[in-house]
Structure formats: C-alpha cells, structure tokens
Amino acid sequence: MKRLKTLFMYALWVVLFIIFSDFLINVALNSTYEPIERRDNVSQVNVYQAEATLVNGRIRGLITNSETNNISNKYLEFDFYSERDVYLGKKIINVNELQPEETQNFEILFKLEDVAYYTVSVLDEKPEGEEIQILPEGMTTSQVVLATVVTLLIFW
C-alpha cells in the first residue's frame, strides 16, 4: 500500500509539473506580443486586439454591417507593412451574409517578420495574387504531418 501511495504521489507531481510548465510557457509566449498600429478609416471593422512578435501575429475583432454602407458578401483585405513602409504581405477574409446592424467575429493569424502596422480595405471581389500562408509553400499538410512524426521518432 505504501508503494502505491508513493507511485501516486510521483504521478501527481508529474501532472502538477506539466500544468505549471504549460502555464509558464503560455505566459512567456503571450508576453512577447506587442501592439501594432492600424492605418485606415474603415469604420465597420472594429479591432480589439492587434499584436505581433518578431515572427508572427494575430488580429481579432468585429465586423459590423451598416445600412448606409453594406459590406455583406464582400472581402476584407489586411495589408501588413514594416516600420519603413515595406509591404510584407496580405491576408483576405470573406464577410458572410450579414443583415444590417449584424456583427461577425474574425481572427487573423499571420506569420510575417517585423510587422509595424496594417491597413484594412473593403473589396467587392477576391483579388488575384499571393496571400500569406501558414504552411510552407512546397509542402502539403500530409507531408508536414509525416515530417513531424519522423522527427519525433528520431528524438524518441
């Protein structure tokens, strides 16, 4: 019985260590985000969180459709720039069918270096061109999963 109690205590300490380390990792990662500036005058897009680190970032907000300026079934283009006004990339989101005065949540996650500010544009059609991607350009999702599994097997 004493051995079982000792084994249970070790298991409890391991679980507590995992929870504590996960908490510290999340706090450390979130503390590296710094706010980025918005430079546009689209009043229907309300951004409540726009942050970036040196290599990635996130933008969260609300889209409100108004009766005077309908943005239902349109696209929002987010263009990202560095401190020296160098264009870094764009991300496009689709605005669903919104009734007047209805809102829609959105979240954009991007992987760009040294983003200082962004602009928002309302577009009628999705433009042709390169949009930033989460996955590497030359690899499919299955190839990324396979590479991850092989890497874990090597280190195991």
Side-chain angles (χ1 to χ4, degrees):
M1 188 67 178
K2 186 176 181 180
R3 257 195 181 151
L4 190 59
K5 186 177 178 182
T6 304
L7 183 63
F8 176 74
M9 290 302 291
Y10 286 144
L12 181 66
W13 280 111
V14 168
V15 168
L16 288 175
F17 177 75
I18 291 171
I19 292 171
F20 181 69
S21 64
D22 188 46
F23 172 74
L24 288 179
I25 289 169
N26 283 332
V27 168
L29 286 176
N30 285 326
S31 69
T32 60
Y33 281 92
E34 295 180 5
I36 56 177
E37 186 181 350
R38 177 178 172 182
R39 295 185 185 171
D40 63 62
N41 56 0
V42 178
S43 62
Q44 293 159 311
V45 179
N46 179 19
V47 174
Y48 57 82
Q49 183 181 30
E51 302 172 317
T53 64
L54 291 177
V55 292
N56 58 18
R58 58 187 172 208
I59 298 176
R60 294 182 178 123
L62 294 169
I63 303 166
T64 305
N65 194 12
S66 67
E67 292 182 16
T68 58
N69 193 4
N70 190 2
I71 62 169
S72 183
N73 293 325
K74 294 190 179 182
Y75 295 92
L76 291 179
E77 181 181 63
F78 289 78
D79 294 316
F80 301 98
Y81 298 91
S82 70
E83 279 184 23
R84 293 182 174 88
D85 300 327
V86 176
Y87 176 75
L88 300 173
K90 67 181 172 186
K91 192 75 170 169
I92 299 171
I93 61 172
N94 186 13
V95 178
N96 296 333
E97 286 191 29
L98 292 176
Q99 300 300 321
E101 303 306 322
E102 188 179 2
T103 61
Q104 171 186 340
N105 290 329
F106 72 90
E107 178 181 29
I108 296 176
L109 303 174
F110 57 89
K111 193 172 210 71
L112 295 170
E113 293 183 18
D114 297 326
V115 174
Y117 69 93
Y118 66 98
T119 61
V120 181
S121 307
V122 178
L123 306 172
D124 292 329
E125 296 178 7
K126 189 170 184 177
E128 299 293 326
E130 196 66 29
E131 187 176 352
I132 56 176
Q133 302 292 327
I134 298 296
L135 293 175
E137 195 173 297
M139 298 179 77
T140 64
T141 306
S142 59
Q143 290 172 333
V144 171
V145 170
L146 180 64
T148 304
V149 169
V150 169
T151 304
L152 288 175
L153 288 175
I154 289 172
F155 288 112
W156 183 33

